[in-house]
């Protein structure tokens, strides 16, 4: 604050000011020191080492070692040395013995920017004092980073030395406008005869009441701003300033609470000295340029050799790096090529092995009948080999298209995105209402009643399956359809319709084969809920299926009598509600069902499923029959009552599955329309 007043310039005057003081005691005559012997010549083909090569000194120059180990150069043709004596030179050397240089040292002398002072830089301090091959330049800068008022600020000091003249700018960004931050600004200079300092400062009313006379008595701690002008006469070398020549005046800003009102006053106070200040700056820069040129000239040839050597080494290093990179890239490419070749060979070998295994597997399927193929597909799917499961299902559909297992094989294959299901039949909820020509002419409703009779005989196995579905598998619903109470009745209906299409001999063979399979493949649980549930479901489902096969085989042989009227549709749904008319109908609900059955038979007789028309056309046929069946059932909806919903769902399933399968296999999906396919 206001007490930090004075000429900071003197403390940073540099080598010239120090030499002037040391040489201030007059001399008897010129005592220029003898020239220092020049450095040993460097061979023309040798590259000098800046760390060990001694400096080159001009006549009259001498080295001044510093405490930090480097040295600076003094002497030469500077007129200040005209009065120097040998003892003066030693005195100068002794005075610099405690000085520190923390910048670069080249050829044994300071060269570059750094800190040049009697003490090492403190915390936050740095400098741009500059030397060129040991010769100090006049322009320099000091920075002190500090904390004031809870903020980090930087105290800056820019110095210009032009022989006997010098200039210091403290915390100034522009000469015509001081900084009014936490640090005060000042411009101080000496022209060799006079010393002048113009300062912008701040204080409090209480500290400078004689300056800020307008301050109220209760405003002691108010922050106020002002300007100061101090002048003095440069004393003779080695002498101190006289108190009689020093003048210090201070002025408040027009509005001393507002520093911006002092800008014009600052400019007016600095105006008489602006020409001198600008001349010192220009002269310092010109002097620095001359020192740089003169000091650098003796080293030009050596620096050129050093630069050429560095360029050569850089080129060699680059060439080496490029060669290593190229070798590395070539090695990596060779390794990558070898890896790719090995992976390709491995893939080809794996493909060949897979082809061999597929061919071997396909050959193993050829002797199998439809039931064996279906079991093989189930086995492969459970073993996590879906491709082999699909192969077995496709083989079944291709070789045994009329097998009762074909519909279920097609349905399971569709879960893989494979071949289509067979045409829909009224006998199953997952197929078309149209009956297969090869199957017995037993309607769905008779199958339901027969299945009930057989299910009664297989009650224990059914209970086992339901128990497993509830305790081990539910609520998981597997895509295989084996698990879950809600799928149980559907599975029974599907399998019952297939059983009705087999002969007694085939049913007996299936039972024997399945029992042999399960006895030779004991149940192995893994602890995985889903996997174990599938295995348990397969076992229980197989037990129920074999029970029904035995019952059907006995029925075919006449050992079990089918329900009365099995040769024609009989509406034995098990619901007594069908024997009464629905509201507003003259016929009973079962009679309405008979009417629909008769019309549906006429439809399928008029449009039978053609043999050999292919999978896509078979899907289209299911789509067509489902749509036409809906046209027949809808007029009877009100009178069919409880019989309407299950049959309507069967027809809708035929429509959805048929359309989806046709579109999946068609080249143009838009061609899949509900029309009767003939080819």
């Amino acid at each position: 604050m206001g007490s930090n007043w004075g000429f900071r310039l003197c403390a940073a005057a540099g080598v010239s000011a120090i030499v002037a003081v040391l040489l201030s005691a007059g001399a008897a005559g010129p005592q220029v020191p003898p020239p220092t012997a020049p450095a040993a010549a460097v061979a023309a083909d040798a590259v000098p080492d800046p760390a060990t090569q001694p400096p080159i000194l001009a006549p009259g120059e001498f080295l001044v070692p510093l405490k930090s180990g480097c040295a600076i150069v003094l002497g030469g043709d500077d007129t200040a040395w005209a009065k120097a004596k040998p003892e003066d030179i030693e005195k100068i050397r002794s005075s610099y013995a405690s000085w520190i240089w923390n910048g670069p040292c080249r050829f044994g002398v300071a060269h570059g920017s750094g800190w040049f002072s009697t003490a090492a830089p403190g915390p936050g301090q740095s400098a741009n004092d500059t030397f060129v091959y040991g010769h100090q330049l006049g322009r320099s800068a000091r920075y002190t980073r500090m904390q004031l008022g809870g903020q980090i600020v930087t105290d800056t000091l820019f110095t210009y030395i032009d022989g006997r003249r010098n200039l210091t700018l403290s915390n100034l960004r522009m000469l015509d406008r001081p900084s009014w931050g936490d640090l005060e600004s000042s411009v101080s200079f000496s022209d060799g005869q006079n010393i002048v300092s113009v300062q912008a400062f701040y204080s409090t009313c209480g500290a400078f009441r004689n300056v800020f006379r307008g301050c109220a008595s209760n405003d002691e701690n108010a922050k106020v701003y002002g300007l100061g002008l101090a002048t003095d006469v440069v004393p003779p070398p080695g002498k101190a300033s006289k108190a009689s020549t020093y003048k210090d005046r201070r002025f408040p800003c027009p509005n001393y609470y507002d520093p911006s009102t002092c800008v014009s006053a600052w400019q007016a106070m600095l105006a008489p000295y602006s020409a001198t200040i600008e001349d010192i700056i220009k002269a310092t820069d010109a002097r620095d340029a001359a020192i740089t040129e003169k000091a650098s000239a003796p080293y030009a040839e050596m620096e050129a050799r050093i630069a050429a050597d560095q360029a050569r080494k850089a080129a060699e290093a680059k060439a080496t790096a490029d060669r290593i990179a190229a070798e590395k890239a070539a090695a990596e490419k060779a390794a990558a090529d070898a890896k790719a070749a090995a992976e390709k060979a491995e893939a080809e070998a794996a493909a060949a092995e897979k082809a061999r295994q597929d061919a071997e597997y396909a050959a193993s399927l050829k002797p199998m009948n439809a039931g064996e193929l279906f079991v093989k597909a189930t086995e492969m799917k459970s073993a996590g080999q879906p491709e082999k499961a699909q192969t077995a299902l496709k083989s079944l559909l291709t070789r045994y298209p009329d097998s009762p297992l074909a519909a279920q094989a097609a349905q399971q294959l569709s879960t893989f995105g494979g071949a289509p299901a067979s045409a829909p039949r009224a006998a199953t909820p997952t197929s078309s209402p149209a009956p297969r020509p090869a199957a017995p002419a037993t309607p769905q409703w008779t199958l339901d009643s027969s299945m009930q009779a057989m299910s009664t005989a297989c009650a224990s196995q059914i209970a086992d399956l339901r128990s497993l579905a509830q305790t081990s598998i539910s609520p998981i619903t597997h895509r295989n359809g084996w698990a879950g109470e809600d799928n149980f009745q559907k599975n029974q209906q599907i399998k019952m319709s297939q059983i009705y299409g087999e002969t007694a001999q085939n049913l007996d063979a299936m039972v024997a084969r399945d029992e042999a399979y399960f006895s030779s493949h004991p149940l192995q649980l893994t602890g995985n809920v889903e996997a174990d549930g599938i295995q348990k479901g397969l076992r229980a489902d197989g037990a129920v299926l074999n029970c029904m096969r035995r019952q059907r085989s006995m029925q075919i042989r006449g050992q079990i009598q089918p329900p009365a009227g099995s040769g024609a549709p009989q509406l034995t749904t098990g619901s007594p509600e069908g024997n009464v008319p629905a509201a507003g109908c003259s016929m009973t609900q079962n009679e309405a069902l008979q009417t629909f059955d008769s019309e549906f038979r006429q439809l399928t007789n008029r449009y039978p499923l053609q043999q050999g028309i292919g999978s896509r056309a078979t899907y289209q046929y299911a789509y067509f029959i489902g749509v036409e069946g809906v046209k027949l059932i809808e007029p009877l909806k009100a009178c069919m009552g409880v019989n309407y919903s299950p049959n309507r769902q069967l027809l809708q399933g035929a429509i959805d599955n048929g359309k989806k399968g046709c579109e999946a296999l068609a080249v143009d999906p838009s061609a899949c329309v509900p029309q009767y396919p003939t080819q």
Side-chain angles (χ1 to χ4, degrees):
M1 292 170 50
S3 60
N4 185 21
W5 185 264
F7 305 98
R8 300 173 63 179
L9 169 67
C10 297
V15 173
S16 298
I18 294 171
V19 169
V21 172
L22 293 175
L23 301 181
S24 61
Q31 298 290 333
V32 179
T36 303
V42 180
D45 58 347
V47 178
D49 183 0
T52 59
Q53 180 72 23
I56 301 174
L57 300 177
E61 292 182 339
F62 61 92
L63 294 177
V64 178
L66 305 176
K67 180 180 180 180
S68 55
C70 205
I72 61 174
V73 177
L74 297 178
D77 57 2
D78 193 322
T79 56
W81 298 104
K83 300 178 181 180
K85 295 183 294 186
E87 56 268 27
D88 294 330
I89 294 175
E90 291 306 318
K91 189 186 299 184
I92 291 173
R93 284 186 171 135
S94 297
S95 68
Y96 277 102
S98 61
W99 281 61
I100 293 174
W101 168 251
N102 67 0
C105 195
R106 192 171 182 82
F107 298 106
V109 292
H111 183 71
S113 296
W115 177 275
F116 183 58
S117 182
T118 56
Q125 288 186 313
S126 61
N128 278 336
D129 299 327
T130 306
F131 284 83
V132 178
Y133 296 108
H135 300 77
Q136 187 181 25
L137 300 185
R139 181 191 283 260
S140 64
R142 291 290 170 93
Y143 307 94
T144 302
R145 189 174 173 84
M146 63 183 73
Q147 184 171 356
L148 287 178
Q151 294 185 349
I152 300 298
V153 297
T154 302
D155 182 19
T156 61
L157 188 69
F158 300 99
T159 303
Y160 303 83
I161 301 177
D162 173 25
R164 298 283 295 179
R165 301 190 304 174
N166 46 58
L167 167 69
T168 299
L169 306 178
S170 176
N171 297 314
L172 271 180
R173 293 184 178 88
M174 296 180 290
L175 280 174
D176 63 344
R177 188 175 298 272
S179 298
W180 293 99
D182 293 321
L183 300 172
E184 299 170 340
S185 299
S186 66
V187 177
S188 303
F189 70 89
S190 171
D191 60 4
Q193 297 179 349
N194 300 295
I195 300 174
V196 179
S197 179
V198 179
Q199 186 178 30
F201 72 96
Y202 65 87
S203 184
T204 62
C205 286
F208 283 90
R209 184 167 292 281
N210 61 328
V211 177
F212 304 97
R213 292 186 175 88
C215 287
S217 59
N218 61 351
D219 215 9
E220 291 288 317
N221 297 321
K223 191 172 185 179
V224 290
Y225 300 87
L227 300 176
L229 175 62
T231 60
D232 200 354
V233 176
V234 176
K239 303 295 183 180
S241 297
K242 297 180 179 180
S244 59
T245 62
Y246 178 74
K247 296 180 180 180
D248 180 0
R249 290 165 290 176
R250 306 206 175 193
F251 311 92
C253 292
N255 178 359
Y256 42 75
Y257 295 109
D258 182 4
S260 64
T261 62
C262 253
V263 173
S264 58
W266 167 276
Q267 295 171 350
M269 189 176 291
L270 205 60
Y273 313 109
S274 60
T276 301
I277 292 171
E278 292 178 4
D279 186 62
I280 292 175
I281 292 174
K282 291 180 181 178
T284 300
D285 289 343
R287 182 173 178 270
D288 287 353
I291 291 175
T292 299
E293 181 178 1
K294 182 178 179 181
S296 301
Y299 295 88
E301 191 272 336
M302 284 198 300
E303 293 287 12
R305 272 191 279 169
I306 292 173
D309 183 63
Q310 290 175 342
R312 177 186 60 78
K313 290 179 179 179
E316 291 176 352
K318 184 178 183 304
T320 300
D322 291 345
R323 176 181 56 78
I324 293 175
E327 292 174 353
K328 180 180 179 182
E332 290 176 349
K333 183 178 184 303
D337 292 345
K339 181 180 179 182
E343 290 176 349
K344 181 181 179 182
E346 184 179 351
E348 291 175 349
E353 176 60 19
K354 184 177 183 303
R356 184 193 66 78
Q357 292 179 2
D358 290 346
E360 184 177 284
Y361 178 69
S364 70
L365 299 179
K366 290 183 179 180
M368 297 184 183
N369 59 29
E372 291 171 330
L373 288 171
F374 191 83
V375 171
K376 176 60 72 173
T378 301
E379 178 184 347
M380 291 296 101
K381 191 172 185 180
S382 299
Q385 301 184 55
E387 291 184 1
K388 290 187 176 182
Q390 291 180 70
T391 301
L393 293 172
K394 290 177 181 178
S395 179
L396 190 157
L397 290 172
T398 301
R399 294 163 52 196
Y400 305 103
D402 296 329
S403 169
L405 292 173
Q408 189 172 359
Q411 187 274 333
Q412 289 199 20
L413 191 59
S414 67
T415 65
F416 297 103
S422 62
R425 285 171 283 179
T428 68
T430 57
S431 59
S432 168
R436 265 187 351 161
T442 308
Q444 167 69 30
W445 305 277
T446 301
L447 291 181
D448 286 342
S449 61
S450 298
M451 181 171 60
Q452 290 173 359
M454 293 185 183
S455 297
T456 301
C458 303
S460 61
Q461 288 89 342
I462 293 173
D464 290 342
L465 177 57
R466 283 200 173 109
S467 175
L468 280 170
Q470 292 170 353
T471 61
S472 301
I473 306 169
S474 181
I476 299 172
T477 301
H478 299 290
R479 57 180 177 272
N480 298 325
W482 288 315
E485 180 69 18
D486 57 337
N487 288 329
F488 180 74
Q489 294 295 338
K490 291 182 180 179
N491 289 330
Q492 283 185 318
Q493 291 174 355
I494 293 171
K495 292 164 185 171
M496 196 65 213
S497 64
Q498 294 165 352
I499 289 173
Y500 261 81
E502 295 289 348
T503 64
Q505 291 81 1
N506 285 344
L507 290 170
D508 294 341
M510 291 178 185
V511 170
R513 179 204 62 208
D514 287 355
E515 289 180 345
Y517 174 81
F518 284 115
S519 64
S520 61
H521 292 76
L523 187 64
Q524 295 181 350
L525 301 182
T526 63
N528 180 284
V529 174
E530 183 173 355
D532 292 350
I534 291 175
Q535 290 194 61
K536 292 179 179 180
L538 280 171
R539 299 288 170 152
D541 197 36
V544 174
L545 184 59
N546 278 345
C547 178
M548 290 183 175
R549 285 171 177 161
R550 292 191 191 94
Q551 297 297 322
R552 176 55 182 162
S553 176
M554 295 171 65
Q555 184 184 53
I556 294 173
R557 292 184 172 90
Q559 297 173 4
I560 299 178
Q561 294 298 321
S566 62
Q570 295 185 23
L571 308 177
T572 54
T573 62
S575 173
E577 298 171 344
N579 294 320
V580 297
C585 295
S586 59
M587 56 180 163
T588 67
Q589 299 174 50
N590 289 342
E591 289 172 345
L593 182 60
Q594 288 178 337
T595 300
F596 165 68
D597 180 66
S598 176
E599 293 176 353
F600 188 80
R601 286 179 181 279
Q602 294 176 20
L603 172 66
T604 56
N605 290 335
R606 186 166 63 252
Y607 298 103
L609 175 63
Q610 302 295 323
Q611 297 298 313
I613 61 175
S615 299
R616 188 201 64 78
T618 302
Y619 270 127
Q620 185 177 0
Y621 176 79
Y623 186 16
F624 164 74
I625 287 295
V627 170
E628 294 301 318
V630 168
K631 295 177 182 178
L632 297 177
I633 198 172
E634 286 303 314
L636 297 169
K637 176 179 179 180
C639 294
M640 287 181 67
V642 296
N643 297 319
Y644 168 81
S645 181
N647 289 281
R648 179 62 176 84
Q649 290 177 3
L650 291 174
L651 294 171
Q652 188 61 47
I655 292 172
D656 295 340
N657 293 336
K659 186 174 184 295
K660 180 179 178 182
C662 179
E663 289 176 346
L665 298 177
V667 176
D668 180 10
S670 64
C672 291
V673 295
Q675 294 180 354
Y676 179 62
T678 57
Q679 59 181 6

